[in-house]
Amino acid sequence: MNRLPIAVLIAGSILSSGPAFAGAATDAAANAQLKESILTTTSAAAINARCEAVLALGEKAKAELEAMKGPATLAADFAAFDTLQLVLGDGGQEIYLVSQTSPVKEVREAAEACVPKISDLGTKVSLSRPIFDRLTAIPTRGLDARKAFTLQKMLTNYRLAGVDKDDATRAKVTALQKEITEIGLKFAANIRDDKGDIKLKPEDLTGLPQDYIDGHKPAADGFVHLTYDYPDVIPVFDFASKRETRRVVQLAYRNRGWPANETVLKSLLAKRYELAQTLGYADYATLITADKMIGNPQRAATFLDDVNAAAKPGADADMAELLTFAKTVDPSITRLESYDNSYMSNLLRKQKYAVDAAEVRQYFTYDKARTGIFQLMTDLFGAQFKPWNTPVWDKSVSAWELYDKSGKLVGRFYLDMHPREGKFNHAAQFGIRTGVEGRQVPVGALVTNFPATGPMDHGDVETFLHEFGHLIHALYSGHTEYGVQSMSNLQWDFIEAPSQLLEEWVWNYDTLKTFAANPQGQPIPEALVAKMNAGRRFGEATSWKGQLGYAAVSLNYYNRKPDFELSPMYDEQIARYSQFPPVPGSHPYASFGHLDGYSAVYYTYVWSKAIALDLFTAFQKAGIRDPKVAERYRQIVLEPGGSQDANVLIQNFLGRPLSLEAFKTELQKK
Ligand SMILES: [Zn+2]
């Protein structure tokens, strides 16, 4: 899970405790006072004032909508509903981004304190019977398919939130949602605030690249001190030749947030179970899957077992080969542990496929990757990028505008890509303004933790492109008629597919040769890329089985009464799916942030990979850099955002329903 980026939904999931309301935008005309960006403020008072303004505008818009009289219409009632979503969604997601990125601690704290207040108001909106009644009364006759779908989806959200229940039940739901939001924030804060201080002797770093060793000199006490930031820990798993170094670092890393999050997570599970029961559902997994592509937890469980069966032969063969190999490197090894996987797989790839991760690394830097990704977007989608002259919250942050071929402004975005004290320590896309055609241009941000200078892992380039996929999806889909038709209302179990699809291009020589070059300026050799691709398949089935393990933890924590202990349940699910046993003494669920944001539906990563590979078949047929297929894809799949069912988007693009065959074939490939 450490390599798979959090999706775009983190903000949405916090704001939309009930219905998956659009992370939507403030209506520029109606809400001029929210137009000014507060992303760069250094004043906690300014955050508090903005928070109050969002809440006041939200309350006002809610009261006006509830008081509407006469026949309900799309033009009046639904538009007012959409504006309310924009006020709360955009107001909330901007403040949420500040809580994760402001260089000023007091500002982050003020923003963090505001998030549950806005979420709380969102819950009230999601439980407003008068609003539900107005929306229900809108005539559906004559609506086009997208409008009809959007209206129906909003009503489904309301029913899932319990709006048709009595007053006492609705009050209880409101209280539970508020508690759940607060517990979720605590869960995230405990992970984020656990910085880590892993003490190693300088000689423990044997095997790590020289640039890493140069950047990690011992302190006055004679020890090298590592934090839990990716650039500190990931290279250890990849390159540290001492097994004990890898074990110690992984054990520490997998105890982030623990023991603090043991009780926090238990109460999160308990409150969500209580919420599901209050709403008439057997458990939280049943509630949360009801509006997904997959439909119910049983289908999700069957899907996991299905993929597990397809992955098993390949994964077993990989493991046997890896163990035989590992014994030649370190004869004391009798069983492979998870902290051996990256290191031994790298060595094996280097030997068998002659792929050396350190050699590959020299062809990538952050700047080259960014240039290359922009170029790829130009080649595929005709995108043009120009610097956006706007204030930023840290000198390392850059700002950009994206135009289409005709010169139309598609959207704006920030890149906050390098580690910084107190900053969000994962990789994610954040919404700032949801685009609405003719009303406001979409704005987003990527927040990641890549090294600012020096070599960059190929896997990091892949993550960069993955997150960029979420960003362009948000921008291209930001031109619908209503904010609630944006990407954030697309089914969760589809939302990773476009990003996972894009990952394919960082394995394509014609794409890599446009930007990957070593410090001497020599482009990456075609033969090296061919070897990387040969080595790519090795360990792939194993890695997906690992993801199935995390998905099973997520599903099984939520598909029953939470009267079990967290650690044994975690270990049981990992043992059932993953090729590696749990590391004794580790408590990885305490830092498994998706257990809050994704709850039971972490399966979506595997599910949407299956979708991505199915979509990829259309590109493979035409040649993967064919701009005509890319343009069809942008128009048919990306631009509609959440205004259509994901099954329909897939059917429209492929000319047939979703099939899992491409994924199963990939898992069986050698
Ligand atoms: Zn993602």
Side-chain angles (χ1 to χ4, degrees), residues 5-8 466-467 470 495-496 499 598 605:
I6 290 180
V8 290
H466 175 106
E467 295 305 335
H470 289 308
I495 209 117
E496 290 299 325
S499 287
Y598 275 64
Y605 275 106

Side-chain angles (χ1 to χ4, degrees), residues 282-286 297 301 552 554-561 569 600:
D283 48 62
Y284 194 74
T286 306
S554 143
L555 189 62
N556 286 280
Y557 271 6
Y558 282 106
N559 68 0
R560 66 195 68 206
K561 190 175 182 197
M569 175 65 85

Side-chain angles (χ1 to χ4, degrees), residues 191-199 225-229 232 252 256:
I191 300 168
R192 200 179 60 244
D193 295 345
D194 193 357
K195 302 285 173 222
D197 181 17
I198 311 170
K199 286 204 267 186
H225 293 256
L226 301 189
T227 68
Y228 295 146
D229 286 339
D232 271 7
R256 278 173 302 145

